[in-house]
Amino acid sequence: MPVSQIKPNPKQPRQVFDEDALNELEHSIREFGLMQPIVVRELGTDEYELVMGERRLRASQLAELEAIPAIVRQTADEAMLRDALLENIHRVQLNPLEEAAAYQQLLDEFAVTHEELAGRIGRSRPVITNTIRLLKLPLAVQRRVAAGVLSAGHARALLSLEDADSQEELAARIVAEGMSVRATEEAVTLKKSEKPAKPKPAPRKPIQAPGLQELANRLSDRFDTRVKVDLGRRKGRITLEFGSVDDLERIVALMDENQAKQTRETD
């Protein structure tokens, strides 16, 4: 079949193609030809759409082949994504994020449960559910998973942390320190056991009673120093400032003088 007559699969779940692997496949095709046919479906006269074999088609185009072997299959629209997904899963070519996005797309298009989808593609329900959960990770962490810097095991461990900032912080540590999945799980457990610091109670604002400032001014004038009067909910406080020991003795002498005067007036 002429390569020019084949259109790519619009529902191809795989988004990242390893350039080195493509180049190796291209070299093999140039030397020995395409050993395994691609699978297409007929759209119209001399027009076909790819169902399976995206890498083989791309490598054949790089090798500048004019025609390649192909199997024409009658594939319905709703089966296109499923067939492309199954091929990539079995060939282990999807990264965890692409696989999660493909599962979610299948759920949306087929309107099925996780259990039903698992039965259709031959995977267990926990695998489907846990893989889709990777889409809940922060974008910064998802990029690391898509790039292969973080494994699916690392990503699933990070999902145990509820805070996105904590997930990103630990993801950076995993990359920097080369942490294993087991070490990551232990770090997550340790981080979850940490109790958040209790917020400091806000300082109580003094009660603004009428006449307090006037009283403070009178005392300041009487003792010739700065006086502050605070009134709390249960008790109050008078604070007098002094500049030196001599100044303190002066203030105390004024207090004694005032006390003696009040005693004489009482007598």
Side-chain angles (χ1 to χ4, degrees), residues 5 12 14 33 41 58 63 65 82 92 101 125-127 131 136 149 154 176 179 186 192 198 207 224 227 242 252:
Q5 295 180 1
Q12 164 64 247
R14 189 163 185 245
R41 69 170 183 165
R58 290 185 179 223
L65 297 186
R82 182 196 61 197
V92 199
R125 185 200 57 76
V127 168
T131 303
K136 296 181 179 180
V149 180
H154 287 117
M179 296 170 61
E186 292 174 353
K192 289 169 68 176
K198 294 183 179 180
I207 299 174
D224 193 21
V227 178
F242 57 89
V252 172

Side-chain angles (χ1 to χ4, degrees), residues 242-249:
F242 57 89
S244 63
V245 175
D246 291 340
D247 192 30
L248 174 60
E249 292 178 348

Side-chain angles (χ1 to χ4, degrees), residues 115-205:
E115 190 75 40
E116 291 169 334
L117 177 60
R120 288 196 184 194
I121 65 175
R123 291 262 165 139
S124 68
R125 185 200 57 76
V127 168
I128 300 292
T129 301
N130 289 332
T131 303
I132 290 176
R133 287 179 64 221
L134 299 182
L135 299 175
K136 296 181 179 180
L137 289 168
L139 286 178
V141 180
Q142 288 190 30
R143 292 191 190 100
R144 294 178 186 271
V145 176
V149 180
L150 291 179
S151 69
H154 287 117
R156 284 192 289 270
L158 289 173
L159 282 168
S160 299
L161 295 174
E162 297 180 359
D163 181 67
D165 291 337
S166 297
Q167 291 173 342
E168 291 186 27
E169 179 185 341
L170 186 52
R173 270 191 60 198
I174 294 169
V175 176
E177 300 176 15
M179 296 170 61
S180 65
V181 174
R182 177 61 180 165
T184 301
E185 292 171 347
E186 292 174 353
V188 167
T189 302
L190 183 62
K191 202 168 189 65
K192 289 169 68 176
S193 65
E194 294 176 355
K195 294 182 179 180
K198 294 183 179 180
K200 295 182 179 180
R204 293 182 178 179
K205 294 183 178 180

Side-chain angles (χ1 to χ4, degrees), residues 25-223:
L25 183 56
E26 175 202 356
H27 178 74
S28 174
I29 290 173
R30 285 184 185 275
E31 291 292 321
F32 309 106
L34 185 59
M35 307 300 292
Q36 183 180 0
I38 63 172
V39 179
V40 298
R41 69 170 183 165
E42 190 172 6
L43 294 178
T45 305
D46 297 331
E47 190 176 24
Y48 300 87
E49 187 174 68
L50 183 70
V51 177
M52 297 181 183
E54 181 87 15
R55 286 182 67 253
R56 281 166 279 160
L57 178 60
R58 290 185 179 223
S60 298
Q61 291 170 334
L62 289 174
E64 300 179 343
L65 297 186
E66 293 184 0
I68 57 175
I71 298 172
V72 180
R73 180 187 295 175
Q74 300 299 320
T75 302
D77 288 343
E78 62 270 15
M80 286 285 288
L81 175 62
R82 182 196 61 197
D83 290 350
L85 173 63
L86 286 175
E87 185 197 29
N88 282 296
I89 287 176
H90 294 324
R91 289 174 176 270
V92 199
Q93 292 175 355
L94 292 180
N95 69 50
L97 263 299
E98 289 173 335
E99 190 173 337
Y103 287 157
Q104 187 61 56
Q105 190 176 349
L106 284 168
L107 289 172
D108 295 340
E109 291 201 3
F110 295 154
V112 293
T113 64
H114 290 201
E115 190 75 40
E116 291 169 334
L117 177 60
R120 288 196 184 194
I121 65 175
R123 291 262 165 139
S124 68
R125 185 200 57 76
V127 168
I128 300 292
T129 301
N130 289 332
T131 303
I132 290 176
R133 287 179 64 221
L134 299 182
L135 299 175
K136 296 181 179 180
L137 289 168
L139 286 178
V141 180
Q142 288 190 30
R143 292 191 190 100
R144 294 178 186 271
V145 176
V149 180
L150 291 179
S151 69
H154 287 117
R156 284 192 289 270
L158 289 173
L159 282 168
S160 299
L161 295 174
E162 297 180 359
D163 181 67
D165 291 337
S166 297
Q167 291 173 342
E168 291 186 27
E169 179 185 341
L170 186 52
R173 270 191 60 198
I174 294 169
V175 176
E177 300 176 15
M179 296 170 61
S180 65
V181 174
R182 177 61 180 165
T184 301
E185 292 171 347
E186 292 174 353
V188 167
T189 302
L190 183 62
K191 202 168 189 65
K192 289 169 68 176
S193 65
E194 294 176 355
K195 294 182 179 180
K198 294 183 179 180
K200 295 182 179 180
R204 293 182 178 179
K205 294 183 178 180
I207 299 174
Q208 299 296 329
L212 283 183
Q213 188 57 48
E214 181 182 351
L215 176 59
N217 293 337
R218 285 169 51 196
L219 291 172
S220 295
D221 293 340
R222 175 70 184 85
F223 297 108

